[in-house]
Amino acid sequence: MLVNNVFAAPNTMPVNVPFWQVPTSLWDTLHRVGLRSHFVASQFAVPLMLPQRRGLIVNTSSGGGVRYTFNVPFGVQKSGVDRMARDMAHELRPFGISAISIWPGYIKSEKLAAQPDRVPAALAKLIAERGETPVFVGRAIAALAADPGVITKTGQILLASELATEYGFTDVDGKIPPPPSRDPAPLSVFTPATAT
């Protein structure tokens, strides 16, 4: 199994900044680390899986792949991660290897706890109220890895909360956090720039 879970978050993520004002370096960083690394790691992992005719590649992503979140480079990176899983699934299915994109909900990360001002206050509030620990998505991935029929899910975007209901696991507090939305409408904290 390979879990692609790498992302290069800048010290301060540009929020609601028009793409023509976002530094090109942000695009380069997000795609070099959060997209290219997934691709390269998968290239190295698949030859190890081929002899067993079984394997699992999980790309962690988010709803930012379908709805405006933070800025254009962020959304394109997340969309690319989801698309990569779908296209890899197409090529890997004949070999019994699954490729899946998984969306955790709002993550209560150590970094966010240490620097809550990294995100808009309204988003920090949502994370505090509806967030989940990193352990929760880990349990989702473990459940997928243990499922002998995981190939039926290949190419899909799966939500950790939906997997919790299906496989019967919870977060560390014994609860199942609410799933992230698949709705492409931006969250209210992400508003377009106004013309001046």
Side-chain angles (χ1 to χ4, degrees), residues 20-21 193-196:
W20 59 92
Q21 295 175 1
T194 56
T196 55

Side-chain angles (χ1 to χ4, degrees), residues 23-36:
T24 305
S25 61
L26 178 67
W27 175 277
D28 294 340
T29 298
L30 293 180
H31 294 87
R32 182 179 58 250
V33 175
L35 195 55
R36 184 179 190 278

Side-chain angles (χ1 to χ4, degrees), residues 134-158:
V135 171
F136 186 66
V137 71
R139 289 177 175 170
I141 293 167
L144 288 168
D147 183 349
V150 72
I151 195 75
T152 62
K153 294 174 169 50
T154 194
Q156 296 180 38
I157 295 171
L158 303 174

Side-chain angles (χ1 to χ4, degrees), residues 48-62:
L48 302 173
M49 297 175 185
L50 287 171
Q52 295 141 38
R53 298 194 62 81
R54 178 163 163 66
L56 174 62
I57 297 172
V58 178
N59 289 347
T60 57
S61 186
S62 76

Side-chain angles (χ1 to χ4, degrees), residues 102-196:
I102 192 166
W103 292 2
Y106 300 114
I107 298 289
K108 294 179 180 177
S109 69
E110 294 86 356
K111 190 170 191 173
L112 183 61
Q115 300 173 312
D117 58 337
R118 296 183 68 247
V119 299
L123 182 56
K125 184 175 187 269
L126 276 173
I127 294 168
E129 292 170 356
R130 300 175 46 122
E132 62 196 50
T133 69
V135 171
F136 186 66
V137 71
R139 289 177 175 170
I141 293 167
L144 288 168
D147 183 349
V150 72
I151 195 75
T152 62
K153 294 174 169 50
T154 194
Q156 296 180 38
I157 295 171
L158 303 174
L159 279 58
S161 291
E162 292 173 355
L163 293 171
T165 301
E166 178 181 348
Y167 290 112
F169 63 87
T170 63
D171 204 346
V172 296
D173 62 2
K175 298 177 183 173
I176 297 176
S181 174
R182 292 180 186 262
D183 185 345
L187 301 174
S188 60
V189 297
F190 301 115
T191 57
T194 56
T196 55

